[in-house]
Amino acid sequence: MQRSISFDRAASFYDKTRALSPHAQDDVLNLLEEALRGRRALDIGVGTGRFAVPLARAGVDLTGLDLSETMLKQLIVNAGGESLVRLVRGDATALPFPDDTFDASLTVWVFHLIPNWRAAVDELVRVVVPDGRLVVEIGGWDSSFEIAPMFCKFAGIEPRHRGLNDIAELDAHLATHGFARSDLGEIVDRATASLEEAIRRLERGTYSYTWGVDEAKRLEAGAKLRKWAEAEHGSLDEPRTFEGSLRPRLYERG
């Protein structure tokens, strides 16, 4: 079984390359705060605290867990050195907490990084009280202009995440524990960048699905991608609008 992915190598650029627009960030935080308010919550894959730190400042009682010590150190920097979030280094598939420790859990863009994601879900069910709630945003591929999928093709990467790829699989697994899903809403976000910028990020190994490919192969795939993208979309330097959406889900026992 493959290990969960640690983001040590991404700590220095994670916030910049995964940033949402201010309005989308605020909308997501409002949904998450409403779902977690008044509950002791565990955030697995807390990372640099992009969601955890503002939620804690809004009064949410949070414990954050992550494999990466470097990401946790960056969280402390992002929090201005304040102890806003209780931090634990650990693996989501073997949580270091007793049963029924928390009233809720938060999982944002994490399950797709855990090959044994079902074990992580089972652990959350164990440490969250029976009438608690699980808040999940699974993330997904950025398929704008087909840049990421075509890079995978040229680099010989399977266009699937190592962990969870289909929300229906999560629904089905949680149903075995008695949980049903409700959608908290959809938030559409847009960003402007050139195709050249997008390709350079892939060449640099910005995203975890590229980390199994060495630099020479990434650059080779990038060269092929440039030729394809220019033939398909025209100028690589022209500003383009990339669009994505977030759909936080709430799971509770009926």
Side-chain angles (χ1 to χ4, degrees):
M1 176 65 70
Q2 292 177 308
R3 291 194 60 199
S4 304
I5 299 174
S6 170
F7 269 57
D8 280 333
R9 66 187 289 176
S12 63
F13 59 77
Y14 182 85
D15 290 329
K16 182 178 180 180
T17 57
R18 272 68 167 184
L20 300 174
S21 65
H23 80 84
Q25 177 82 355
D26 289 345
D27 288 347
V28 172
L29 287 170
N30 288 337
L31 289 179
L32 298 180
E33 181 186 349
E34 184 175 351
L36 299 173
R37 187 184 299 120
R39 297 172 181 267
R40 296 164 299 155
L42 171 65
D43 182 349
I44 65 168
V46 66
T48 62
R50 198 151 49 92
F51 297 105
V53 168
L55 285 171
R57 285 190 172 131
V60 177
D61 184 350
L62 273 173
T63 296
L65 176 136
D66 205 282
L67 266 180
S68 170
E69 184 176 357
T70 309
M71 293 285 273
L72 293 177
K73 288 179 178 178
Q74 185 60 48
L75 185 154
I76 295 170
V77 172
N78 292 350
E82 297 180 74
S83 300
L84 297 172
V85 181
R86 291 180 294 277
L87 299 180
V88 178
R89 187 177 178 216
D91 193 318
T93 63
L95 295 175
F97 307 108
D99 296 357
D100 304 335
T101 299
F102 302 97
D103 304 308
S105 70
L106 174 62
T107 312
V108 180
W109 303 337
V110 173
F111 286 139
H112 68 292
L113 302 173
I114 305 176
N116 192 14
W117 62 267
R118 289 179 178 84
V121 172
D122 294 343
E123 279 290 87
L124 287 178
V125 171
R126 179 182 68 79
V127 303
V128 171
V129 296
D131 62 346
R133 51 179 46 176
L134 314 181
V135 180
V136 178
E137 163 62 35
I138 68 166
W141 291 91
D142 177 2
S143 58
S144 301
F145 303 97
E146 295 297 301
I147 294 298
M150 291 303 295
F151 180 86
C152 291
K153 177 181 178 180
F154 293 133
I157 303 171
E158 180 68 24
R160 287 178 59 82
H161 293 297
R162 297 187 189 183
L164 178 68
N165 282 273
D166 186 347
I167 189 68
E169 294 184 29
L170 179 62
D171 292 348
H173 188 67
L174 277 169
T176 67
H177 291 289
F179 284 84
R181 181 188 102 193
S182 58
D183 295 339
L184 296 177
E186 179 179 10
I187 296 162
V188 176
D189 195 19
R190 296 176 180 85
T192 300
S194 69
L195 298 183
E196 177 62 28
E197 290 175 89
I199 293 169
R200 285 180 181 173
R201 284 190 177 190
L202 292 163
E203 289 178 326
R204 288 195 294 264
T206 300
Y207 306 107
S208 62
Y209 58 84
T210 68
W211 293 352
V213 180
D214 63 36
E215 183 180 22
K217 193 168 184 179
R218 291 198 307 270
L219 292 173
E220 180 183 348
K224 292 178 181 177
L225 181 56
R226 281 187 180 85
K227 291 181 180 179
W228 174 87
E230 194 164 27
E232 191 73 16
H233 299 297
S235 171
L236 301 183
D237 297 319
E238 177 186 341
R240 312 279 182 153
T241 299
F242 290 77
E243 183 175 296
S245 65
L246 298 92
R247 299 181 180 89
R249 278 89 172 184
L250 174 64
Y251 294 87
E252 296 178 292
R253 285 190 169 98

